Every structure is written in C-alpha cells, then in structure tokens.
Amino acid sequence: MKSFFYFIPIAFLTLCVKGQGIQQKLSAAYKKFESDSQLKHGISSLYVVESKTGKAVFEKNAQIGLAPASTQKVITSATAFELLGKRYRYKTEFGYKGTVTKDSFLVGFLSVNGSGDPTPGSWRYSTTREDGIFFKLIESLKINSIFYYGNDIDWDNGFFDRQPLPDGWIWQDIGNYYGAGHWSINWRENQINLILKSGNRIGDSVKIIETQPHTELGEAVNNMVSAEKGSGDNAYYYFSLGSYPQYIKGSIPILKDSFSISIATPNAPLFFQEHFKEYASKYGVKKLITVMDNFNGWLDTLLKSKMKIIYTHYSPPLDSMNYWFLKKSINLYGEAFIKTMAFEKTGFGSTEKGAEIVKDFWKQKGIDKAAINIVDGSGLSPLNRVTTDALVKVMQIARARPWFNSFYDALPETNSIKMKSGSISGVRSYTGYIKNKQGIEYTFAFIVNNYNGSASSAVKKMWQVLDVLK
C-alpha cells in the first residue's frame, strides 16, 4: 500500500516535467523563429493547446487579429457542417417558361432556377460531369418536344446577390481560377483553361493556342514571356477594364508546346449558356435567330411567370464538397457555402449576410465576433482578420461534433501533420492537429503576416517550430 502512495507524486512529477519540457522547447523554438530576419518587419502568432484537455501549452499574440489566408476555410467549413448539415444538397431546376408550338419551337425562355451550387460541370464527382448533366437536360427537352428555342436562358431568380465577388479581393487574383466569382448558376467551377506555347529561349513571347472548353475570350494584350525550365506557372490573367482589353502577363517555362493555365470566367451563367448552346446543337436542340416583339410587356410578363420544371439536378452532399474545399482549397466552394448559409437563414444569399451569420454563430460558442472579422468565405481577401485563439477554439469544438471525421479527413497532410495551410501575399498560416510519439495530441494555429524574403524559407522555419510538437 505504501508503494502506491509513493507512486502518485512520482507519476505526477514525471508528467509535469514532460509538460514543462515541451513548453520550454516550443518557447525556445518560437523565440528563435520570431528573431529571424524574415520577421524583422512582420508579426506572428502561435497558439497551442492539448486537444484532450484544452490546456494551453504555448501562446503568443493569440488575441491579435491577423490575415489568416486559407486557414479561414476551417471556420467556414465547421459553420457549414453545423448550419447546413453534412448531407445538405443543392438543387438546381431546369425548365422553361412559355409554350411549345406544334413544330417543336419554344415560344418563351429556357430557364434555370439556380441554387448557388458550385459543382455543376465539375470533374471531381461522377454525378456532376458536364456530359452527364447536359445529356439529361437535352433528353428532358426532347421529351417535352422542345427541339428549337429562340431566346437566351433566363437564370436570375433573385435569391442570390448578383455581385459575384466579395469585398477586398485584389485585381491580380480575380481573373485567375482561384479568384473565380460565385453566381446562382456556376459551371465547371467557373474555370477556363488556356493552352499556351512558349518559346525556345528565355524571354521569348508566349502564344495562346486555344481555350478549353472553347470560349470566345475576345481581344487580349499578351505580355507573357518564356522563363527558365522548371519555373512553373507564373502567369496572371486580368479581366478587361472599361475600354481596356483583357491583359495577360507573367511567364511559363521554355520549350512547352501545350502548357495549361487556369483562369476565371467573367460571367458563369453566360459561360454555362455558351457551353449548353454548343452541346445542345450537337445533339439536336438548336437555337434559332428570331425576333420577338415585346407587345404590351408580353415578354416581361412571361419572364415573371412560373417555370415548368423538366429536370432537377442535385449536388453531391456537403461532406463530399467539403472534402475538396479543404483538401484542394477551392475558394469558390467557400464563397458558395457562406452565401448558402445566408440564403437558408434569411432567404437571400449574400456574402455580407453570410459573414454576419458565421460571426454570430461562433459568438454563441464563446468566440468574440471581433476575433473572426471576416469579409469572405475562403480567406482570399487580405481584409480578413482572425486570431489564432479563435482558430484553435473552432478546431477544438469541431473535435466534439458528430461530423468531425468528415472534417478531419478533408484536412491535408503536410509535413506529416494534419493541417490546413493558407497563403496570400506576405501571409503564411497553418491550423490543425499534431499527435506526438507519446500519443498526446495538440491543436494549434500559427499565422505569420508581412514576412520578407522567400515564402518557401518562411514555411520551412514555421515547420521547424511545429516539429517540436511531434
């Protein structure tokens, strides 16, 4: 019996020493990181807790709001799981308004009731691929004896904000695939691929060979050049501005006959319409050039009439979409989720309303609204400010929720750590979970703003700090 009582303080002392050991090592590693020349004019924040107990292990600047970049996605993801549910599906309805003549001509409009679904035409799921959706839609038109139509597709249902871009997104981002806007109707993740051909020598001009899918981009100023081998995709696309045409600059590697870069479509509904027209014509449903006079407001009245639904498309469940949202950091999905939460709660999907709903939700969980000062759903805007304390609290709350396995599986594994990364200009960030060799798990958030020098060097130094927890 005496040996039992001797064991208790010894075991307790051993645990305390181990706890102090990790705190001291982490403190030393962070002090070294913080004093690095790359942080001379920057600021960093690190917060670590034991996952099981919530006990703080290390904290520095945890209450300072910093630009989180894509680590903000874990907040959008967790909120969507809670407010929409892991089995939530978008519903997009296709149909028409008007009448069909005996010769199979639609006097009226093809119509789409969009729900903000970001997945139609996506190659990531078997049920969303463009051929499958178009095949079902064309077959439904034929079943309803529609083989000809004259007007463009009516798609504005008034349920979603027609402003596709959140506040604060920068001009350099919004023309590229990761800066694609979100509409009530989205197609192929609102992404177009440019196929480029570079020169044989560094500095040679780069030619645009084609677009995939075929899309008329119009006049563009092309200032792309050929760069050294292995330099990768450093090309940037800018939408036209007023009378100024589109602009493409940057570089791709030399000696590339078919190099693909991805840009954003400036108008997703028109992108869908253009692609639909081409596909439908190929399979027997054609658009005819007609003139329909708007006598006594007839067309206006028709547009307001009830749509006859002929085909309904359902998205994959939210947990499947969230997998790609976190795993591949698809900004479009975050903007869709935040608008959808607003739509489901208020009847109108806007980024502003969605951001308020997210902040209000976490306030109820004990997180100050000012600690989640966000303007979008993806973290792309440099206006966002989030504390590492808030990120850790969200990650801790997620651990106890029934959807956690889906959330955890979607987190990428980087540097042998399950964590979401984030990167925008001058920002690198991580949040996730680390389990050490003794089986103790830590929840952490680590953000650096305004570092200087190489991004890869800053990342390597951040990983060295996190490695202490392994």
Side-chain angles (χ1 to χ4, degrees), residues 433-453:
Y433 309 97
I434 300 176
K435 185 173 288 188
N436 69 11
K437 294 176 182 177
Q438 289 74 41
I440 299 173
E441 186 180 77
Y442 300 100
T443 305
F444 71 91
F446 194 2
I447 302 177
V448 177
N449 280 193
N450 205 44
Y451 66 88
N452 64 75

Side-chain angles (χ1 to χ4, degrees), residues 91-100 106-115 137 140-141 144 146 152-159 184-185 272 299-314:
K91 180 174 72 172
T92 303
E93 296 172 329
F94 298 88
Y96 66 92
K97 298 175 181 179
T99 58
V100 182
L106 173 63
V107 181
F109 297 85
L110 294 176
S111 189
V112 183
N113 186 12
S115 60
L137 179 53
S140 298
L141 289 170
N144 284 269
I146 298 174
D152 289 332
I153 297 173
D154 168 41
W155 60 271
D156 183 16
N157 57 23
F159 298 144
S184 61
I185 298 171
F272 167 79
L299 290 179
D300 293 336
T301 302
L302 182 60
L303 280 170
K304 296 175 183 177
S305 66
K306 186 176 181 180
M307 176 178 70
K308 180 179 179 180
I309 299 169
I310 61 173
Y311 168 57
T312 301
H313 173 76
Y314 292 91

Side-chain angles (χ1 to χ4, degrees), residues 179-196:
H182 173 264
W183 283 261
S184 61
I185 298 171
N186 305 283
W187 187 246
R188 288 178 55 91
E189 297 187 0
N190 301 342
Q191 178 178 316
I192 300 168
N193 296 324
L194 290 185
I195 309 303
L196 310 174

Side-chain angles (χ1 to χ4, degrees), residues 119-123 125-139 187-188 213 272 275-276 278-280 282-283 311 313:
T119 67
S122 173
W123 53 94
Y125 320 88
S126 61
T127 59
T128 64
R129 290 171 186 159
E130 55 193 272
D131 286 350
I133 292 177
F134 278 149
F135 175 80
K136 291 176 182 177
L137 179 53
I138 298 302
E139 288 301 302
W187 187 246
R188 288 178 55 91
F272 167 79
H275 205 185
F276 167 78
E278 181 180 328
Y279 190 98
K282 182 179 177 181
Y283 289 96
Y311 168 57
H313 173 76

Side-chain angles (χ1 to χ4, degrees), residues 5-39:
F5 285 106
Y6 281 121
F7 172 75
I8 293 176
I10 292 172
F12 179 75
L13 181 62
T14 301
L15 288 173
C16 288
V17 169
K18 285 183 177 179
Q20 290 173 355
I22 193 66
Q23 289 173 341
Q24 291 169 351
K25 289 179 181 178
L26 196 54
S27 180
Y30 187 81
K31 185 176 181 180
K32 178 182 178 183
F33 171 80
E34 198 176 26
S35 62
D36 191 276
S37 61
Q38 281 199 272
L39 270 293

